Amino acid sequence: MPALVTLSGRSVRLEPLSPAAVDDLVAAASEDRSTYAFTRVPNGRDEMVSYVEAALAEQAGGRTMPFAIRWLHTDRLIGATRLMNLEYWQGPMPWPPGSLGAVGDIPSVADIGYTWLGASAQGTGANRESKFLLLSHAFEVWNVHRITLKADVRNVKSRAAIEALGAHFDGVRRAESRGADDTVRDTAFYSILNSEWPAVRERLARRLGLVEAA
């Protein structure tokens, strides 16, 4: 499976998710849960323990790389995110068709998902910088062909944040999954291709103040 990494930026550090993060993540997720109308976020310690255990089991299978998000200005964990649905296209084609196939060291495509922040961290730029770090690792270290991002079609805030990254809107998959509010959810899909990453990177770097505008 891909080697575990810590991704550091100016304001956030993405640390490999571990059981040691449970209590801090419970505190972050408990601030104001009204902000999670369309996002499934663990509620309480028992749910957070199950959430971390499930993520680590998928990580052990080479299918996800989960992180806890640390806000460097306060040295507090403020949420979580992950590179997930990792697929490996190198080597022989898997059989039967549709099976996951072998796991390798370098994923070929990935999703960014399961992202949530405590209420006090929302709107601080933590989400944008976290996405920048994940995208940079996926495209510049793994050299993936595509990153997929998705959101409940009703989640205007999350969709706007994805679109602000410069992601391409691929369409809506109807009745795609069970929603956080236990309804049947339509999901908006977005993607960024490897060839599009340089322009997206420049755009994000300017928004993060990493380069000066021309």
Side-chain angles (χ1 to χ4, degrees):
M1 68 182 204
L4 301 184
V5 294
T6 296
L7 306 176
S8 297
R10 286 183 173 182
S11 299
V12 301
R13 183 169 64 236
L14 306 188
E15 304 172 355
L17 187 65
S18 74
V22 165
D23 289 334
D24 288 340
L25 291 178
V26 169
S30 300
E31 290 181 347
D32 178 4
R33 295 194 58 84
S34 68
T35 63
Y36 303 139
F38 302 114
T39 305
R40 196 177 296 278
V41 177
N43 188 7
R45 196 176 194 282
D46 289 345
E47 286 191 11
M48 192 65 72
V49 168
S50 296
Y51 168 87
V52 171
E53 289 177 346
L56 295 181
E58 287 195 16
Q59 176 182 279
R63 298 300 172 186
T64 192
M65 183 176 285
F67 297 91
I69 304 171
R70 185 175 297 279
W71 185 242
L72 296 178
H73 301 300
T74 60
D75 197 32
R76 292 174 51 242
L77 293 183
I78 56 173
T81 189
R82 66 186 72 171
L83 289 158
M84 53 186 280
N85 294 336
L86 306 181
E87 295 183 19
Y88 304 83
W89 294 354
Q90 67 273 27
M93 293 290 286
W95 189 263
S99 61
L100 291 175
V103 170
D105 295 329
I106 307 296
S108 302
V109 296
D111 292 9
I112 292 176
Y114 278 102
T115 303
W116 62 268
L117 293 171
S120 63
Q122 296 171 23
T124 62
N127 178 58
R128 184 182 303 134
E129 188 172 26
S130 295
K131 293 293 195 297
F132 181 78
L133 293 172
L134 294 173
L135 289 165
S136 297
H137 185 75
F139 283 119
E140 297 171 14
V141 178
W142 291 346
N143 197 33
V144 297
H145 301 292
R146 184 194 73 242
I147 287 290
T148 297
L149 304 103
K150 55 190 179 182
D152 189 309
V153 75
R154 301 166 295 173
N155 194 340
V156 176
K157 184 176 180 181
S158 288
R159 293 185 64 182
I162 294 171
E163 291 165 5
L165 297 174
H168 179 269
F169 175 55
D170 294 327
V172 174
R173 183 177 296 173
R174 297 176 297 167
E176 191 267 339
S177 66
R178 179 179 176 178
D181 58 353
D182 290 325
T183 62
V184 177
R185 161 179 148 165
D186 295 341
T187 299
F189 280 73
Y190 296 83
S191 63
I192 301 171
L193 302 183
N194 189 289
S195 60
E196 298 165 344
W197 169 239
V200 171
R201 189 188 196 286
E202 181 178 3
R203 176 178 180 171
L204 273 174
R206 293 191 188 284
R207 294 193 69 191
L208 290 167
L210 302 179
V211 295
E212 294 184 2

